[in-house]
Amino acid sequence: MADAGGERWVGLATDFSEGSRAALRWAADNLLRAGDQLVLLHVIKEADYEQSEAILWESTGSPLIPLSEFSNPITAKKYGAKPDAETLDLLNTVAREKEVMVVVKVLWGDPREKLSQAINDMPLSCLVIGSRGLGKLKRVLLGSVSDYIVNNATCPVTVVKPNDG
């Protein structure tokens, strides 16, 4: 799947925060090229079992959902995701301008474990992840998803720090 015939599968971990949007902008400006597949990985910490899709896909994550479907609020809600309009607009712009195919995979559970699982299962050519910009003490106490992924991923990882401007 990865790099087959020059096609790259680029992963982008997102929680739909400003840090995730910064990572998306960085990937668009520095990494993505025509023909790439951009796989948006969104982890929901606790599955809502009233959502039938969470029950079906909790262990493996959702199937790959095309951005055009995921942009529909009914589809996103089916998977328990709450994407913001700014991120969806940015994704649609990147897909159109960079000529990349964008798909979304929703995962349920611990972000560290589920992102590592997704990297191993796909496999991805690389992963871009945003940093929340935690200080050293908070990072030690709360744990850093990006630190964990950098140290455990089986593909190259780029951590994009938030702009302080």
Side-chain angles (χ1 to χ4, degrees):
M1 184 184 306
D3 294 319
E7 179 180 274
R8 297 183 308 166
W9 286 67
V10 176
L12 179 79
T14 186
D15 59 2
F16 301 110
S17 66
E18 182 53 43
S20 293
R21 284 188 293 278
L24 173 57
R25 284 189 285 272
W26 184 91
D29 292 343
N30 299 289
L31 181 64
L32 294 172
R33 61 182 184 226
D36 284 348
Q37 302 283 326
L38 177 61
V39 182
L40 202 68
L41 300 169
H42 177 56
V43 182
I44 299 171
K45 288 183 184 176
E46 294 184 22
D48 178 355
Y49 292 105
E50 291 183 17
Q51 303 289 337
S52 61
E53 304 301 331
I55 294 170
L56 288 172
W57 304 108
E58 185 176 15
S59 63
T60 60
S62 72
L64 296 177
I65 309 162
L67 179 60
S68 59
E69 287 180 33
F70 190 75
S71 294
N72 180 332
I74 295 169
T75 302
K77 185 177 179 180
K78 231 174 38 170
Y79 290 95
K82 297 174 183 156
D84 62 289
E86 184 179 352
T87 300
L88 290 174
D89 184 51
L90 189 55
L91 284 165
N92 280 294
T93 300
V94 167
R96 185 178 60 255
E97 291 180 359
K98 292 289 183 171
E99 298 177 17
V100 298
M101 169 81 86
V102 179
V103 292
V104 180
K105 185 166 186 76
V106 179
L107 305 137
W108 294 270
D110 180 274
R112 291 172 279 252
E113 292 173 16
K114 292 301 181 171
L115 289 172
S116 293
Q117 175 187 337
I119 291 167
N120 291 330
D121 290 350
M122 306 265 339
L124 297 174
S125 303
C126 60
L127 178 77
V128 180
I129 187 169
S131 169
R132 291 184 292 169
L134 297 177
K136 288 182 183 181
L137 180 59
K138 282 187 180 177
R139 195 167 46 241
V140 169
L141 294 174
L142 297 175
S144 167
V145 173
S146 58
D147 282 350
Y148 182 88
I149 297 300
V150 164
N151 289 306
N152 293 283
T154 56
C155 70
V157 177
T158 300
V159 178
V160 177
K161 293 187 176 188
N163 287 336
D164 293 329

